[in-house]
Amino acid sequence: MRIAMISEHASPLAALGGVDAGGQNVHVAALSEALARRGHHVTVYTRRDATELPAKVRVGRGFEVVHVDAGPATHVPKDELLPFMGDLADGVARDWSQRPPDVVHGHFWMSGLAAMDAARRPDAGYRVPVIQTFHALGTVKRRHQGAEDTSPQERRWLEPGVGRSADRIIATCSDEVFELKAMGINTGKISIAPCGVDLSFFSADGPADSRKRRFRVLSVGRLVPRKGVDLVIRALPFLREAGFDDVELLIVGGGGDSGVLHADPEVRRLMDLATELGVADQVRLQGQVSRGEMPGIFRSADAVVCAPWYEPFGIVPLEAMACGVPVVAAAVGGLRDTVVDHGTGLHVPPRDPEAIASALALLFGNPDLRAELGNAGKLRAQTRYSWDRVAAETEKAYQLAVAGAPAGVAPMEGAAL
Ligand code: UDP
């Protein structure tokens, strides 16, 4: 198949850990690679956000990235990109003028708009089936962030419109299906295919980063308040009370768009909090870390904590599991599918630092439990979350879209343990 992906803000070639560069970038890159390995030809269209970027980059056999001129050739926060989606669609349609793809897959609601626009131009002489992955939903974001949500107002009606118009939707977890249903979207055209993890790269075998204290807790991700990193800092005094004071919290990610750690207001907020709680000496903010360093960092941890207020999917817990590390996870969104409570990690209620501390104390006090959960996580990642498997499920959704066949909710086989 000739597959077009549109990922307006999240380039598969971007550095990770900035405010707008995380799971979607990883997802688009790894899915494209896995589909190319299956013999498809994948072109990812993304917005040019730097003048020096070439028009086309061949990433590998059957996988290229096209930088489309749409808005200023500099970083623009994703919530300000809506006015440029018409130009993005024009650029995509121009590239299709010789030969349109068999399917177009939009990532994030704004890319869905561009995909729909490029795929259904009345005078183009073709109609390309549109598959949509939302990655995050405005309804959920508004529920949790309220007035802090910087999404454009138009998201309220345009996002459900993308859902209704798409030929097929790929949800990344079962929770998302309920949310889509609540938005009035026909669940008959939804497939579930989770995100995956690169198992040749994230594995338990290999060197581990060195650490300074007896126990290491790890937090990885974009440093935005909804990721709940402050909750992990707040857990440290409770852990002390429980007798675990020789604990280091390593926070990976953040540093703002400039990549300068202390220019990031969230970094300052977290350090101020750690100082206020008297745990600053236990907290290490590492800033953005390259992909290559991540496995060694995961392997160095006794536990990875993912404590978001909400989480559309969350690739970090999968990476931790693949590296054999137990995950303490807020029981929200995709984390409820990936992390099995007392199977591959421990669930805690959202926004509950005391519960995070109790879970960590349980793990620190039980090396056997840590090993058991870590091993089970490794197995679960290997058997259920390889990108090859996710690509095969995604391909099925593409085939359904091409065939125009309505089907029931098609979950990924064995998505729950
Ligand atoms: N990541 C990274 N370096 C960093 C911070 C994050 O490589 O400094 C990666 C992390 O390993 C994961 C992704 O960024 O692959 C974050 O994905 P996730 O789905 O957990 O969060 P999202 O960014 O989608 O909210």
Side-chain angles (χ1 to χ4, degrees):
M1 262 189 215
R2 290 173 63 81
I3 300 161
M5 304 253 185
I6 303 186
S7 183
E8 44 24 311
H9 71 277
S11 166
L13 304 175
L16 302 174
V19 169
D20 285 340
Q24 186 176 325
N25 307 65
V26 174
H27 185 123
V28 172
L31 179 61
S32 302
E33 273 166 20
L35 286 165
R37 276 198 299 277
R38 294 176 70 79
H40 300 293
H41 187 278
V42 185
T43 304
V44 178
Y45 297 89
T46 191
R47 206 186 69 82
R48 173 190 295 283
D49 62 3
T51 42
E52 64 275 14
L53 293 172
K56 274 191 192 182
V57 179
R58 186 179 184 273
V59 184
R61 196 185 154 86
F63 174 17
E64 64 180 2
V65 174
V66 172
H67 295 111
V68 180
D69 290 317
T74 177
H75 172 77
V76 176
K78 71 170 184 276
D79 288 337
E80 294 169 23
L81 290 175
L82 183 60
F84 311 121
M85 289 305 105
D87 289 345
L88 182 63
D90 288 347
V92 171
R94 255 195 313 277
D95 204 54
W96 293 353
S97 57
Q98 299 299 316
R99 189 174 168 192
D102 298 303
V103 290
V104 56
H105 186 168
H107 294 267
F108 199 58
W109 68 280
M110 279 193 245
S111 302
L113 291 174
M116 220 69 77
D117 178 346
R120 296 176 185 172
R121 299 199 157 188
D123 50 356
Y126 55 74
R127 184 190 186 283
V128 181
V130 177
I131 295 95
Q132 173 68 17
T133 297
F134 284 101
H135 291 272
L137 290 172
T139 45
V140 180
K141 192 171 185 191
R142 266 197 309 282
R143 192 180 309 143
H144 291 277
Q145 298 203 354
E148 306 283 295
D149 179 8
T150 52
S151 306
Q153 282 296 317
E154 294 91 329
R155 186 173 188 179
R156 287 172 190 259
W157 59 90
L158 292 178
E159 187 168 58
V162 169
R164 282 192 294 271
S165 312
D167 295 286
R168 206 140 186 102
I169 293 174
I170 300 180
T172 53
C173 67
S174 38
D175 187 57
E176 192 184 338
V177 180
F178 296 116
E179 296 290 349
L180 291 166
K181 190 173 179 195
M183 285 162 63
I185 291 163
N186 167 15
T187 53
K189 64 176 182 183
I190 303 175
S191 299
I192 299 182
C195 299
V197 58
D198 182 347
L199 294 164
S200 60
F201 186 62
F202 289 100
S203 87
D205 308 317
D209 196 31
S210 62
R211 59 194 200 188
K212 298 200 169 50
R213 291 177 178 258
R214 174 143 182 245
F215 296 107
R216 176 179 268 189
V217 178
L218 177 64
S219 162
V220 177
R222 296 175 297 122
L223 276 199
V224 289
R226 73 120 175 134
K227 288 285 184 182
V229 180
D230 56 337
L231 300 166
V232 196
I233 296 175
R234 285 181 193 282
L236 293 175
F238 291 114
L239 264 176
R240 269 194 187 169
E241 273 173 36
F244 296 101
D245 52 4
D246 199 11
V247 178
E248 172 190 44
L249 167 60
L250 181 68
I251 300 171
V252 168
D257 300 330
S258 57
V260 180
L261 200 53
H262 289 279
D264 185 341
E266 184 63 4
V267 167
R268 287 201 301 272
R269 184 178 81 93
L270 294 174
M271 275 328 291
D272 288 349
L273 176 68
T275 306
E276 188 191 310
L277 295 173
V279 294
D281 59 327
Q282 290 179 259
V283 177
R284 225 176 89 201
L285 278 131
Q286 184 87 357
Q288 284 173 245
V289 163
S290 71
R291 239 37 228 124
E293 295 170 76
M294 286 311 304
I297 291 181
F298 276 113
R299 287 192 284 260
S300 73
D302 296 290
V304 171
V305 181
C306 301
W309 307 343
Y310 64 96
E311 189 59 88
F313 185 78
I315 295 181
V316 165
L318 284 189
E319 293 170 343
M321 283 158 57
C323 291
V325 182
V327 183
V328 173
V332 295
L335 305 186
R336 285 161 58 189
D337 284 6
T338 49
V339 180
V340 181
D341 191 25
H342 285 91
T344 67
L346 299 170
H347 283 187
V348 290
R351 302 198 196 217
D352 190 342
E354 211 169 339
I356 295 172
S358 302
L360 287 172
L362 181 65
L363 291 174
F364 291 165
N366 292 276
D368 290 348
L369 179 65
R370 284 208 304 274
E372 194 187 307
L373 298 183
N375 280 329
K378 195 170 64 180
L379 203 64
R380 184 168 170 77
Q382 286 167 352
T383 52
R384 293 169 196 274
Y385 293 102
S386 71
W387 277 112
D388 287 334
R389 185 172 176 181
V390 175
E393 293 299 322
T394 305
E395 190 182 300
K396 276 189 213 158
Y398 292 168
Q399 283 159 352
L400 287 169
V402 169
V409 175
M412 185 176 167
E413 237 172 271
L417 194 79

